[in-house]
Amino acid sequence: MFEKDEWTQQELYKYTKELEKEGINVVLVDTILKPLDNIETITYNPYEMSQMPENTVFVFYCDTGKTTKERLNFYRKKLPNHKCVSLRGGRGYWRPNYQLFDEM
């Protein structure tokens, strides 16, 4: 899951479920001051984010996903004790009514 620098919306939901079982928090980070629909986000603030537990995973998004992917190394330097990932496609690919169903 952490081999890739970016997650799709489906992977975000899937990995969030898996990591929450292990007690790891996944936080969606808004870098463009445009919150996504139907999911909780926080605004990028390195100081506040560095105060979160060390096993927290931050998923950054912008309008297209390109800028946050390019800036991942910058975010990782600012938050060395946390995992940082980019949301693939950013806000443009976000489907507000998307749901992840458990397999039967």
Side-chain angles (χ1 to χ4, degrees):
M1 107 180 31
F2 293 111
E3 303 87 41
K4 300 190 301 185
D5 284 340
E6 58 183 356
W7 291 352
T8 62
Q9 183 176 0
Q10 179 182 4
E11 290 170 328
L12 170 68
Y13 285 131
K14 178 182 171 188
Y15 296 153
T16 298
K17 263 183 146 177
E18 291 175 12
L19 291 169
E20 282 179 351
K21 290 177 186 173
E22 299 174 24
I24 298 172
N25 222 6
V26 177
V27 178
L28 197 55
V29 182
D30 177 359
T31 63
I32 55 173
L33 301 176
K34 295 178 186 173
L36 295 173
D37 296 331
N38 299 335
I39 193 165
E40 185 178 337
T41 64
I42 65 167
T43 303
Y44 176 67
N45 182 330
Y47 175 75
E48 286 182 12
M49 293 166 66
S50 67
Q51 303 303 308
M52 293 185 176
E54 287 191 12
N55 61 356
T56 303
V57 177
F58 294 116
V59 181
F60 296 87
Y61 74 89
C62 60
D63 283 321
T64 63
K66 291 178 184 177
T67 304
T68 51
K69 186 175 181 188
E70 290 171 2
R71 291 184 182 166
L72 270 181
N73 287 330
F74 171 78
Y75 297 137
R76 289 175 176 153
K77 286 178 186 170
K78 288 278 188 191
L79 304 159
N81 299 322
H82 300 85
K83 298 272 189 196
C84 298
V85 182
S86 176
L87 182 66
R88 184 179 188 134
R91 194 172 199 282
Y93 279 26
W94 187 258
R95 296 176 292 179
N97 298 318
Y98 181 85
Q99 296 178 5
L100 189 65
F101 294 108
D102 293 328
E103 293 181 20
M104 296 193 167

